[in-house]
Amino acid sequence: MDSRKRIPLAAPNITDRELEAVAEVLRSGTLSLGPKLAEFEERFAGYIGTRHAIGVSSGTAGLHLCVIALGIGAGDRVMTTPFSFIASTNAVVYEQAIPVFVDIDPLTLNLDPARVEEAARKGAKAILAVDIFGLPAEWDGLREIARRFDLSVIEDSCEALGATYKGRAAGSLGQVGVFGFYPNKQVTTGEGGMIVTDDDRIARVCRALRNQGRWEQAGWVEHELLGFNYRLDELSCALGIVQLERLGETQAQRERVARWYHERLRDLEAVELLPTVPGLTRSWFVYVIRLRPPLGQEARDRTMAALREQGVECADYFAPIHLQPVYQRRFGYRRGDFPVTEDIAGRSLALPFFAHMSESQVDEVVRTLKSVLTRSTSRATGA
Ligand SMILES: *Cc1c(COP(=O)(O)O)cnc(C)c1O
């Protein structure tokens, strides 16, 4: 048995301040729809620079409400990326709209505007773009297409809190943006999410929909819309307020860990690293590397298995959405439909990455990776 401690893929960064803030809510007796929700929303809107922020129970719930608020429904075509966490596409399918996948740019791993334009010519109602791995999508291009084809625009910024596109905050680049606060995100509330927008109507509808379809000023049993319970409770909000205050600090820590990895991996022949893109700042969410061809999916899978065996957690971020069984069954997608996504996805793996990761943990991951790769590489080349 391995006596060394496993290095986790991700870990929340929680201090005594978060513990105290949550305990204070418990002592207050108000556990939902209280002052912490209003405070978290106000601070969050201030941070992003939008008129409104609406707290919801998860990023997925937030995306779902945006789809409804924009009037996207049965049979509407929504262009989106197959290289994402499945929630971004599920939100479209919940409302019987049709996801129209568009392949990605192999450099940024975000939607390729040229291909989006091609797809828009065949008819579409909306773009749902994702800022993947904390890097904003090509928003100038996407917004221009949206304007020309009169499309609604949702920004899934669940991985990009703190990122900027030409000086503007991720989340504020579409008509409406969504953040998620799952424990591996830059800010966590356990489970939780936030919708941000400058649009008064979208904000009002989302506020009603998260709270069983009641307008804000309506009575408790007066339901205008078919709503949901997608509320964010007071404990989560108290946690989120402190996490948001500490975001600058944890972001700097994450950048430092990314730099440690970069310095140790940049000269390694067998791997490709995430790029920096002029004008865009990535908010570090996950540390994803790719094996370099001719190494492919088989070598990647062997590498992941060997890393895990040696106590280094890792994950295949992301498996293409169109190849998930539920999507293959429903829409008939096949391998080969989105070749750039499939190629990138097959060679990618996420390494352990969290704010308080130590330099010696990074050393340990890199040492293990190098020894594992030496074996994978020699097998792939038949040496
Ligand atoms: C995390 C994530 C979500 C969903 O967030 P949850 O809070 O887990 O529901 C949506 N889209 C992307 C791209 C994500 O990474």
Side-chain angles (χ1 to χ4, degrees), residues 181-221:
F181 304 136
Y182 186 74
N184 69 341
K185 311 275 179 177
Q186 290 92 334
V187 156
T188 186
T189 62
E191 298 285 358
M194 194 71 81
I195 299 167
V196 292
T197 185
D198 284 330
D199 186 310
D200 297 345
R201 189 201 61 83
I202 292 174
R204 184 171 129 86
V205 171
C206 286
R207 281 182 192 285
L209 288 174
R210 75 162 171 197
N211 192 18
Q212 307 286 15
R214 307 168 175 110
W215 295 124
E216 281 259 281
Q217 307 309 329
W220 189 249
V221 289

